[in-house]
Amino acid sequence: MIINAHCHRNLLDESCIQVAVYDERLEVTSPGGLYNGLTYEEVMNGHSKIRNKGIANIFSQMGLVEAWGSGIKRIFNAAEEYGLSKPRFQEFDNMFRVELFRSSFPITNGKENIGGTSEKHRR
């Protein structure tokens, strides 16, 4: 999740990638929404538009990126492999967030949510 955030974050935004650990979930939030017109459906089908090709190439040479466009599918597969609830994806305020839930804290709404807000952003 963190590697994916670095490959796709908006470097023109001075905000940092945020990693938040809660009792029930892990959140990784990166500056920049989906890049260059990419849609949620395209992302889920393995399409990718890399915003930071240099960073992605370095991660690939280090063996940290297996294939372009595989990040979100790998997150889903890892969650399933470990018996976790489906990860949730959100885009808001030009940010992109991935939430990975612990197995002992099932979420009530198992649907992926893009364009929604999390509890801490509803205030």
Side-chain angles (χ1 to χ4, degrees):
M1 290 166 49
I2 295 170
I3 290 168
N4 214 44
H6 280 285
C7 290
H8 296 289
R9 69 159 288 159
N10 181 355
L11 292 171
L12 297 176
D13 186 325
E14 294 180 3
S15 302
C16 296
I17 292 172
Q18 301 168 19
V19 178
V21 180
Y22 299 97
D23 289 340
E24 76 283 0
R25 71 187 184 282
L26 169 68
E27 290 181 357
V28 177
T29 306
S30 60
L34 294 176
Y35 181 58
N36 202 17
L38 194 63
T39 66
Y40 177 76
E41 290 77 22
E42 290 171 327
V43 168
M44 296 313 297
N45 287 317
H47 296 278
S48 180
K49 294 182 181 178
I50 299 171
R51 187 178 267 136
N52 304 307
K53 291 180 180 151
I55 291 171
N57 282 329
I58 290 169
F59 283 144
S60 178
Q61 291 174 13
M62 294 171 66
L64 300 173
V65 172
E66 291 181 6
W68 305 134
S70 67
I72 289 182
K73 285 285 190 189
R74 290 178 67 200
I75 293 167
F76 268 116
N77 291 341
E80 184 177 344
E81 180 181 340
Y82 287 96
L84 305 177
S85 299
K86 280 188 175 182
R88 183 166 40 202
F89 300 88
Q90 299 180 49
E91 185 179 32
F92 58 93
D93 298 334
N94 204 27
M95 304 286 272
F96 191 81
R97 173 175 293 152
V98 180
E99 294 176 295
L100 187 60
F101 298 91
R102 291 181 59 164
S103 59
S104 60
F105 289 91
I107 56 174
T108 56
N109 178 2
K111 297 189 309 186
E112 300 83 24
N113 176 17
I114 195 158
T117 57
S118 72
E119 292 175 19
K120 77 179 189 183
H121 290 285
R122 288 185 183 163
R123 295 182 197 155

Coordinates of all heavy atoms in Angstrom, one line a residue, residues 9-53:
R9 N 1.4 9.1 -6.0 CA 1.1 10.3 -5.4 C 1.4 11.5 -6.3 O 2.2 11.4 -7.2 CB 1.9 10.5 -4.1 CG 3.4 10.6 -4.3 CD 4.1 11.2 -3.1 NE 3.7 12.6 -3.1 CZ 3.8 13.4 -2.0 NH1 4.3 12.9 -0.9 NH2 3.5 14.6 -2.0
N10 N 0.8 12.6 -6.0 CA 1.0 13.9 -6.7 C 2.2 14.6 -6.0 O 2.0 15.1 -4.9 CB -0.2 14.8 -6.7 CG -0.1 16.0 -7.4 OD1 1.0 16.4 -7.9 ND2 -1.1 16.8 -7.5
L11 N 3.3 14.7 -6.7 CA 4.5 15.3 -6.1 C 4.4 16.8 -6.1 O 5.2 17.5 -5.4 CB 5.8 14.8 -6.9 CG 6.1 13.4 -6.7 CD1 7.3 13.0 -7.6 CD2 6.5 13.1 -5.2
L12 N 3.5 17.4 -6.8 CA 3.3 18.8 -6.8 C 2.6 19.3 -5.6 O 2.6 20.5 -5.2 CB 2.5 19.3 -8.1 CG 3.2 19.0 -9.4 CD1 2.3 19.4 -10.6 CD2 4.5 19.8 -9.5
D13 N 1.9 18.4 -4.9 CA 1.2 18.6 -3.6 C 2.2 18.4 -2.5 O 2.9 17.4 -2.4 CB 0.0 17.7 -3.5 CG -0.8 18.0 -2.3 OD1 -0.3 18.4 -1.2 OD2 -2.0 17.8 -2.3
E14 N 2.4 19.4 -1.7 CA 3.4 19.3 -0.6 C 3.0 18.4 0.6 O 3.8 18.2 1.5 CB 3.8 20.7 -0.1 CG 4.5 21.5 -1.2 CD 4.9 22.9 -0.7 OE1 4.7 23.3 0.5 OE2 5.4 23.7 -1.5
S15 N 1.8 17.9 0.5 CA 1.3 17.1 1.6 C 2.2 15.8 1.6 O 2.7 15.4 0.6 CB -0.1 16.7 1.4 OG -0.9 17.8 1.4
C16 N 2.2 15.1 2.7 CA 2.9 13.8 2.9 C 1.9 12.7 2.7 O 0.7 12.8 2.9 CB 3.5 13.8 4.2 SG 4.8 15.0 4.6
I17 N 2.5 11.5 2.4 CA 1.7 10.3 2.4 C 1.5 10.0 3.9 O 2.4 10.1 4.7 CB 2.5 9.1 1.8 CG1 2.6 9.4 0.3 CG2 1.9 7.8 2.1 CD1 3.4 8.4 -0.5
Q18 N 0.3 9.7 4.3 CA -0.1 9.5 5.7 C -0.4 8.0 5.9 O -1.1 7.4 5.2 CB -1.3 10.3 6.1 CG -1.1 11.8 5.9 CD -2.4 12.6 6.0 OE1 -3.4 12.1 6.5 NE2 -2.4 13.8 5.4
V19 N 0.2 7.5 6.9 CA 0.0 6.1 7.4 C -0.6 6.2 8.8 O 0.0 6.8 9.7 CB 1.2 5.3 7.4 CG1 0.9 3.9 7.9 CG2 1.9 5.2 6.0
A20 N -1.8 5.7 8.9 CA -2.5 5.8 10.2 C -2.9 4.4 10.6 O -3.5 3.6 9.8 CB -3.8 6.6 10.1
V21 N -2.5 4.0 11.9 CA -2.8 2.7 12.4 C -3.9 2.8 13.5 O -3.6 3.6 14.5 CB -1.6 2.0 12.9 CG1 -1.9 0.6 13.5 CG2 -0.5 1.9 11.9
Y22 N -5.0 2.2 13.3 CA -6.1 2.2 14.3 C -6.3 0.7 14.8 O -5.7 -0.2 14.2 CB -7.4 2.7 13.7 CG -7.3 4.1 13.1 CD1 -7.0 4.4 11.8 CD2 -7.5 5.2 14.0 CE1 -6.9 5.7 11.3 CE2 -7.4 6.5 13.5 CZ -7.1 6.7 12.2 OH -7.0 8.0 11.7
D23 N -7.1 0.6 15.8 CA -7.3 -0.8 16.3 C -7.9 -1.7 15.3 O -7.6 -2.8 15.2 CB -8.3 -0.7 17.5 CG -7.7 -0.1 18.8 OD1 -6.4 -0.1 18.9 OD2 -8.4 0.3 19.7
E24 N -8.8 -1.1 14.4 CA -9.5 -2.0 13.5 C -9.0 -1.9 12.1 O -9.5 -2.6 11.2 CB -11.0 -1.6 13.5 CG -11.4 -0.3 12.9 CD -11.1 1.0 13.7 OE1 -10.6 0.9 14.8 OE2 -11.4 2.1 13.1
R25 N -8.1 -0.9 11.8 CA -7.7 -0.8 10.4 C -6.4 -0.1 10.2 O -5.9 0.6 11.1 CB -8.8 0.0 9.6 CG -8.9 1.5 9.9 CD -10.0 2.1 9.2 NE -10.1 3.5 9.4 CZ -10.5 4.1 10.6 NH1 -10.9 3.4 11.6 NH2 -10.5 5.4 10.7
L26 N -5.8 -0.2 9.0 CA -4.6 0.5 8.6 C -5.1 1.4 7.4 O -5.7 0.9 6.5 CB -3.5 -0.4 8.1 CG -2.3 0.2 7.4 CD1 -1.5 1.0 8.4 CD2 -1.5 -1.0 6.8
E27 N -4.7 2.7 7.5 CA -5.1 3.6 6.4 C -3.8 4.2 5.8 O -2.9 4.6 6.5 CB -5.8 4.8 6.9 CG -7.2 4.6 7.3 CD -7.9 5.9 7.8 OE1 -7.3 7.0 7.8 OE2 -9.1 5.8 8.1
V28 N -3.7 4.2 4.5 CA -2.6 4.9 3.7 C -3.3 5.9 2.8 O -4.1 5.5 2.0 CB -1.7 3.9 3.0 CG1 -0.7 4.6 2.2 CG2 -1.1 2.9 3.9
T29 N -3.0 7.1 3.0 CA -3.6 8.2 2.3 C -2.5 9.0 1.5 O -1.5 9.3 2.1 CB -4.3 9.2 3.2 OG1 -5.3 8.5 4.0 CG2 -5.1 10.3 2.4
S30 N -2.6 9.2 0.2 CA -1.6 9.8 -0.6 C -2.2 11.1 -1.3 O -3.4 11.0 -1.7 CB -1.0 8.9 -1.6 OG -1.9 8.4 -2.5
P31 N -1.4 12.1 -1.4 CA -1.9 13.3 -2.2 C -2.1 13.0 -3.6 O -1.3 12.3 -4.2 CB -0.7 14.3 -2.0 CG 0.2 13.7 -1.0 CD -0.1 12.3 -0.9
G32 N -3.2 13.4 -4.1 CA -3.6 13.2 -5.6 C -4.6 12.2 -5.7 O -4.5 11.1 -5.1
G33 N -5.6 12.4 -6.5 CA -6.7 11.5 -6.7 C -6.2 10.5 -7.9 O -5.0 10.4 -8.2
L34 N -7.2 9.9 -8.5 CA -6.9 9.0 -9.6 C -6.3 9.9 -10.7 O -6.8 11.0 -11.0 CB -8.1 8.3 -10.1 CG -8.6 7.2 -9.1 CD1 -9.9 6.6 -9.6 CD2 -7.6 6.2 -8.8
Y35 N -5.3 9.4 -11.4 CA -4.5 10.2 -12.3 C -5.0 10.2 -13.7 O -5.4 9.2 -14.3 CB -3.0 9.7 -12.3 CG -2.1 10.4 -13.2 CD1 -1.8 11.7 -13.0 CD2 -1.4 9.7 -14.2 CE1 -0.9 12.4 -13.8 CE2 -0.5 10.4 -14.9 CZ -0.2 11.7 -14.8 OH 0.7 12.4 -15.6
N36 N -5.0 11.4 -14.3 CA -5.3 11.6 -15.7 C -6.5 10.9 -16.3 O -6.5 10.2 -17.3 CB -4.0 11.2 -16.5 CG -3.9 11.8 -17.8 OD1 -4.6 12.8 -18.1 ND2 -3.1 11.2 -18.7
G37 N -7.6 11.1 -15.6 CA -8.9 10.5 -16.0 C -9.1 9.1 -15.8 O -10.1 8.5 -16.2
L38 N -8.2 8.4 -15.0 CA -8.4 7.0 -14.7 C -9.7 6.9 -13.8 O -9.9 7.7 -12.9 CB -7.2 6.5 -13.9 CG -7.0 5.0 -13.8 CD1 -6.8 4.4 -15.1 CD2 -5.8 4.8 -12.9
T39 N -10.5 5.8 -14.1 CA -11.7 5.6 -13.4 C -11.5 4.4 -12.4 O -10.6 3.6 -12.6 CB -12.9 5.2 -14.3 OG1 -12.6 4.0 -14.9 CG2 -13.1 6.3 -15.3
Y40 N -12.3 4.3 -11.4 CA -12.3 3.3 -10.4 C -12.4 1.9 -11.1 O -11.7 1.0 -10.8 CB -13.4 3.4 -9.4 CG -13.5 2.3 -8.4 CD1 -12.6 2.2 -7.4 CD2 -14.5 1.3 -8.5 CE1 -12.6 1.2 -6.4 CE2 -14.5 0.3 -7.6 CZ -13.6 0.2 -6.6 OH -13.6 -0.8 -5.7
E41 N -13.3 1.8 -12.1 CA -13.5 0.5 -12.8 C -12.2 0.1 -13.5 O -11.8 -1.0 -13.6 CB -14.7 0.6 -13.8 CG -16.0 0.7 -13.1 CD -16.3 2.1 -12.5 OE1 -15.7 3.1 -13.0 OE2 -17.2 2.1 -11.6
E42 N -11.6 1.1 -14.2 CA -10.3 0.8 -14.8 C -9.2 0.3 -13.9 O -8.5 -0.7 -14.2 CB -9.8 2.0 -15.6 CG -10.6 2.4 -16.8 CD -10.3 3.7 -17.4 OE1 -9.8 4.7 -16.6 OE2 -10.4 3.9 -18.6
V43 N -9.1 1.0 -12.7 CA -8.2 0.6 -11.7 C -8.4 -0.9 -11.3 O -7.5 -1.7 -11.2 CB -8.2 1.5 -10.5 CG1 -7.5 0.9 -9.3 CG2 -7.7 2.9 -10.9
M44 N -9.7 -1.2 -11.0 CA -10.0 -2.6 -10.6 C -9.8 -3.6 -11.6 O -9.6 -4.8 -11.3 CB -11.5 -2.6 -10.1 CG -11.8 -1.7 -8.9 SD -10.6 -1.9 -7.6 CE -10.8 -3.6 -7.2
N45 N -9.7 -3.2 -12.9 CA -9.4 -4.1 -14.0 C -7.9 -4.1 -14.3 O -7.5 -4.7 -15.4 CB -10.2 -3.8 -15.2 CG -11.7 -4.2 -15.0 OD1 -12.0 -5.3 -14.5 ND2 -12.6 -3.3 -15.4
G46 N -7.1 -3.5 -13.5 CA -5.6 -3.6 -13.7 C -5.0 -2.5 -14.5 O -3.8 -2.6 -14.8
H47 N -5.8 -1.5 -14.9 CA -5.3 -0.4 -15.7 C -4.5 0.5 -14.8 O -4.9 0.7 -13.6 CB -6.4 0.3 -16.4 CG -7.0 -0.5 -17.5 ND1 -6.5 -0.8 -18.7 CD2 -8.2 -1.3 -17.4 CE1 -7.3 -1.6 -19.4 NE2 -8.4 -1.9 -18.6
S48 N -3.5 1.1 -15.3 CA -2.7 2.0 -14.4 C -2.1 3.1 -15.3 O -1.8 2.9 -16.4 CB -1.6 1.2 -13.8 OG -0.8 2.1 -13.0
K49 N -2.1 4.3 -14.7 CA -1.4 5.4 -15.3 C -0.4 6.0 -14.2 O -0.9 6.6 -13.3 CB -2.4 6.5 -15.7 CG -3.3 6.1 -16.8 CD -4.3 7.2 -17.3 CE -5.2 6.7 -18.4 NZ -6.1 7.7 -18.8
I50 N 0.8 5.6 -14.4 CA 1.8 5.9 -13.4 C 2.1 7.4 -13.4 O 2.6 8.0 -14.4 CB 3.1 5.1 -13.6 CG1 2.7 3.6 -13.5 CG2 4.1 5.5 -12.6 CD1 3.8 2.7 -13.9
R51 N 2.0 8.0 -12.3 CA 2.2 9.5 -12.2 C 3.7 9.7 -12.0 O 4.3 10.7 -12.5 CB 1.5 10.0 -11.0 CG 1.5 11.5 -10.8 CD 0.7 12.0 -9.6 NE -0.6 12.3 -10.1 CZ -1.8 12.0 -9.4 NH1 -1.7 11.3 -8.3 NH2 -2.9 12.3 -9.9
N52 N 4.4 8.8 -11.3 CA 5.9 9.0 -11.0 C 6.7 7.8 -11.6 O 7.0 6.9 -10.9 CB 6.0 9.1 -9.5 CG 5.2 10.2 -8.9 OD1 5.3 11.3 -9.3 ND2 4.4 9.8 -7.9
K53 N 6.9 7.9 -12.9 CA 7.6 6.8 -13.6 C 9.0 6.5 -13.0 O 9.4 5.3 -12.9 CB 7.7 7.1 -15.1 CG 6.3 7.0 -15.7 CD 6.4 7.3 -17.2 CE 4.9 7.2 -17.7 NZ 4.7 8.1 -18.8

